[in-house]
Amino acid sequence: MSAPERIPPRSVTPTDPAAAELLARGELTVRGRIREASNAALYCTVTHEDREAACVYKPVAGERPLWDFPDGTLAGREAAAYEVSRATGWDLVPPTVLRDGPYGEGMVQLWIETAPGAELLALVDGEEPEPGWKAIGFAEVGEGRTALLVHADDDRLRRLSVLDAVINNADRKGGHLLPTAEGRLYGIDHGVTFNAENKLRTLLWGWAGEPLPEEALDVLKGLRDALTPDGPLTAALTPLITPAEIDATRSRVNSLLVSGTHPEPGGDWPAIPWPPV
């Protein structure tokens, strides 16, 4: 008798409800290292039963200490950012889990294939952005010239700016924005988030000071309810970040609801990450 034909495993997409379970329970196989990452980041495949996917594994053992983020781990904060994103219903962060792997505990996140040519950031001449774009600020482009740095006036980016304000993202760069061929947008690299002090640094300042959309206010109300001491989001975050960081997240949600506006840059911390991409 001939051997039965092997059925190849099914790939998993970011919107697949089984994605998080696959990442948490599947067998990780390291395929290579992502060299441009500042901390250890490994490209892997993960397989469980009849499912398989590409993913990124960032072991805690490969993290560089940060003086301004002395508590917790980058990996824990990456997983926490996913939990908050999931609670918004916007699903702006790829499925992410904290688990054991070949090099110890680490963050495992579903790999996202990006769509080439999706323009979200640009440098333009002139003092004001064109319709459909939002101004970030002026940047030196060499030989004494400056240009206006702009981002798209895009609802997906606007939602991400709200998420960043909630999680206190200190490093929202252009390279952390991943548009897909299906029209979705994901944000990655959330290791420097949730600090109890205000450290918001982002390229998404185009809506600073403007009223929050009703959609965002509804999402923030849902986060407020989920972040009560016995709320489901508090329970999900408790193993990942410190009690002080959870309290600060609660406070940021409440402050956004009270102000009803997108936050504006503060003077105590550089407003734009460097390099911006």
Side-chain angles (χ1 to χ4, degrees):
M1 293 178 62
S2 59
E5 182 180 356
R6 182 179 181 273
I7 300 174
R10 291 183 292 153
S11 60
V12 170
T13 65
T15 55
D16 192 323
E21 181 185 11
L22 170 64
L23 295 173
R25 299 182 60 189
E27 180 180 356
L28 281 174
T29 302
V30 177
R31 303 296 184 184
R33 182 168 185 174
I34 303 171
R35 296 193 177 277
E36 57 266 29
S38 56
N39 293 276
L42 304 173
Y43 178 77
C44 303
T45 53
V46 59
T47 307
H48 180 64
E49 295 178 346
D50 64 339
R51 292 182 172 87
E52 182 179 65
C55 61
V56 177
Y57 164 49
K58 298 181 181 180
V60 172
E63 296 180 2
R64 298 178 182 177
L66 297 173
W67 67 267
D68 52 343
F69 283 81
D71 300 319
T73 63
L74 303 181
R77 291 188 286 270
E78 293 245 33
Y82 166 68
E83 293 294 342
V84 175
S85 168
R86 192 162 69 102
T88 66
W90 287 332
D91 294 325
L92 295 166
V93 178
T96 311
V97 301
L98 187 68
R99 57 162 285 182
D100 194 36
Y103 299 103
E105 185 179 61
M107 179 279 286
V108 178
Q109 184 175 84
L110 197 69
W111 181 266
I112 300 297
E113 293 292 342
T114 59
E119 196 172 20
L120 298 172
L121 298 166
L123 282 167
V124 298
D125 294 323
E127 300 288 323
E128 298 291 335
E130 295 290 330
W133 294 89
K134 289 287 197 177
I136 303 167
F138 290 95
E140 293 186 8
V141 293
E143 300 180 354
R145 292 181 57 246
T146 61
L148 184 63
L149 181 61
V150 297
H151 66 67
D153 188 3
D154 185 307
D155 287 342
R156 300 170 303 170
L157 287 179
R158 193 166 192 172
R159 292 176 188 135
L160 193 58
S161 76
V162 176
L163 176 66
D164 283 343
V166 170
I167 67 176
N168 197 16
N169 192 350
D171 196 34
R172 174 60 72 207
K173 298 177 179 177
H176 301 166
L177 305 173
L178 304 184
T180 73
E182 296 76 28
R184 297 189 67 92
L185 177 70
Y186 293 97
I188 61 168
D189 284 350
H190 297 107
V192 285
T193 49
F194 293 102
N195 202 298
E197 299 178 8
N198 179 28
K199 293 186 180 292
L200 183 61
R201 289 197 307 174
T202 176
L203 289 177
L204 305 181
W205 288 117
W207 299 280
E210 293 186 13
L212 289 162
E214 285 298 322
E215 175 197 34
L217 293 172
D218 289 341
V219 164
L220 290 167
K221 290 172 185 175
L223 290 180
R224 179 185 59 191
D225 294 342
L227 281 167
T228 58
D230 59 350
L233 184 52
T234 299
L237 295 178
T238 295
L240 304 172
I241 58 177
T242 68
E245 289 167 335
I246 295 174
D247 287 342
T249 304
R250 244 184 238 118
S251 178
R252 288 190 296 270
V253 169
N254 288 330
S255 294
L256 288 166
L257 283 169
V258 169
S259 72
T261 61
H262 286 273
E264 299 183 73
D268 299 330
W269 186 252
I272 296 175
W274 190 262
V277 177

